[in-house]
Amino acid sequence: MSLKRLLLALSAMALATPLAPVSAQNLSFDAYMQLVMAKARAQGVSEATIQRMTSGLTPNQRVIDLDRGQPGSPTRRGYPAMRPYLDTHVNPIRISRGRDMYAATRGLHGRIEREYGVPIEMLMAIWGHETNYGAIKGNFDLARSLATLAWEGRRRDLFEGELIALMKIADRGFPRSQLVGSYAGAFGNPQFLPSVYLRLATDGDGDGRADIFNNRADTLASIARYFQDSGWRQGQPWGVRASLPGGFDVDAYRTKINAPVCSRVHERHSEYKTVREWRELGVQPQKYLADDVLVTLFQPDGPGTPAWLLTSNYRVILEYNCSNYYAMSVGLLADEIAQ
């Protein structure tokens, strides 16, 4: 079969049926990229962009090693303590830089808060946690990283879709040299995946371009829109510290719901009760929460350690990153920046 006919056959296969997960051992990288290129064409990506974004691509073993090295399930000894993580991620330097950036962007705050209903300090905390306010955004070639992870095959559907989404972003005029970020494909100040950029990235200053790489107004508006889209409730905190009566057994109120998403996160929370119901059990919020607000009780480090009552806005933070460690550090950093 000629090369031309082979490529036509591969293109037809790509359009006709979803690609079944396969390993790197039974499909060459170049052959797989021909399938992806055919799918990108079918979704309207220009040929010039396809060629620009795939030129010279080779697998990156470093990306595969980093992806396979991600931490897995908790051990039999349980989850690592929360406090050391919080001390590392909600530190004086990050708080100070957050307050400085808050002051530097003050002219943007009113319009963004009015439009999206999300407090600026929460947006700052996400920005600070993701890239240290733009200081550390990653330097991996996104096209190469996403092509590598898609070809490697463990989560092919996810990364193949993100690679094609990246090509669509490039089709808007972004040079490949600017499309760099984390090894797993996230980029810019808020570390959006390409599909999230296409869906939610926002032009915050009216210049006709959603630049989350360098533009502060676009960065804040894009994060705010993400939170709004995820269901942020205006005027409600993410959570507040709570005091428990002596001998209170948090485990007696553990949720019995098997969450389909973020199951290892939610299994650590209590069932939801109103603030009034928790008060009747002796649990007292240390800041104001209306009596009818539904909250879950969370005491991550066990009896005698700090506890929190978490609102539905805490779940919105989890939409950004499915980790209690992440969500708690973002919430607490936001509170510190607001002070």
Side-chain angles (χ1 to χ4, degrees):
M1 181 182 290
S2 69
L3 177 59
K4 182 177 180 180
R5 293 183 67 182
L6 174 60
L7 294 180
L8 288 173
L10 288 171
S11 297
M13 289 169 55
L15 297 176
T17 58
L19 184 66
V22 295
S23 69
Q25 283 70 41
N26 57 20
L27 186 65
S28 75
F29 181 83
D30 289 343
Y32 173 64
M33 287 310 302
Q34 292 297 326
L35 289 171
V36 175
M37 291 164 69
K39 291 183 178 182
R41 290 186 192 101
Q43 294 185 34
V45 181
S46 71
E47 188 63 29
T49 294
I50 292 172
Q51 296 301 324
R52 174 165 58 93
M53 295 300 290
T54 59
S55 175
L57 283 184
T58 58
N60 187 337
Q61 186 60 45
R62 170 76 173 145
V63 167
I64 293 174
D65 292 342
L66 286 169
D67 187 60
R68 291 180 176 177
Q70 291 300 295
S73 301
T75 66
R76 291 181 179 179
R77 290 176 292 178
Y79 292 88
M82 180 77 68
R83 176 47 56 189
Y85 184 93
L86 297 179
D87 290 342
T88 300
H89 289 79
V90 188
N91 57 54
I93 293 176
R94 189 166 285 177
I95 294 168
S96 176
R97 291 202 65 189
R99 290 173 179 169
D100 290 345
M101 187 63 75
Y102 186 101
T105 59
R106 193 175 297 276
L108 305 170
H109 297 181
R111 176 174 52 81
I112 290 174
E113 287 192 333
R114 284 193 301 272
E115 184 166 355
Y116 299 102
V118 185
I120 295 296
E121 61 267 21
M122 181 58 64
L123 311 180
M124 289 293 169
I126 291 287
W127 189 1
H129 206 294
E130 291 293 331
T131 59
N132 198 13
Y133 312 101
I136 307 170
K137 291 182 278 192
N139 58 7
F140 284 87
D141 175 8
L142 294 175
R144 189 183 183 199
S145 292
L146 290 169
T148 296
L149 292 170
W151 169 69
E152 187 264 351
R154 289 192 306 139
R155 289 174 287 169
R156 173 158 293 179
D157 288 345
L158 167 64
F159 289 115
E160 182 181 289
E162 295 300 338
L163 177 57
I164 295 173
L166 181 71
M167 294 184 191
K168 293 176 181 178
I169 294 171
D171 229 7
R172 297 181 177 183
F174 287 97
R176 182 168 162 184
S177 60
Q178 188 177 11
L179 296 174
V180 297
S182 79
Y183 77 87
F187 65 95
N189 286 318
Q191 292 291 281
F192 278 1
L193 285 171
S195 62
V196 175
Y197 178 93
L198 291 176
R199 188 166 60 91
L200 295 173
T202 301
D203 173 13
D205 60 3
D207 67 355
R209 190 177 180 86
D211 175 11
I212 63 172
F213 297 93
N214 302 299
N215 187 297
R216 294 173 176 177
D218 294 358
T219 294
L220 293 173
S222 296
I223 300 171
R225 187 176 173 194
Y226 189 107
F227 270 57
Q228 182 189 61
D229 183 75
S230 298
W232 183 270
R233 295 189 177 184
Q234 187 172 3
Q236 192 174 102
W238 63 273
V240 302
R241 279 285 300 272
S243 59
L244 309 181
F248 189 86
D249 183 9
V250 175
D251 287 338
Y253 300 94
R254 290 282 182 220
T255 182
K256 297 178 177 61
I257 298 174
N258 183 15
V261 179
C262 292
S263 59
R264 289 190 293 118
V265 169
H266 295 301
E267 72 183 8
R268 305 183 68 190
H269 298 172
S270 80
E271 58 195 33
Y272 271 82
K273 294 181 179 292
T274 65
V275 171
R276 180 184 295 106
E277 289 172 323
W278 284 118
R279 287 184 188 276
E280 291 171 353
L281 293 169
V283 177
Q284 299 295 329
Q286 295 183 9
K287 290 184 179 179
Y288 174 76
L289 277 174
D291 281 346
D292 60 349
V293 173
L294 281 169
V295 288
T296 179
L297 179 62
F298 184 42
Q299 190 178 36
D301 291 343
T305 64
W308 287 267
L309 290 171
L310 308 175
T311 74
S312 62
N313 281 343
Y314 181 84
R315 290 188 175 233
V316 173
I317 305 174
L318 290 173
E319 288 286 326
Y320 214 98
N321 187 315
C322 184
S323 163
N324 278 310
Y325 299 88
Y326 179 91
M328 287 295 301
S329 62
V330 164
L332 292 171
L333 179 59
D335 289 350
E336 292 290 341
I337 291 172
Q339 292 178 15

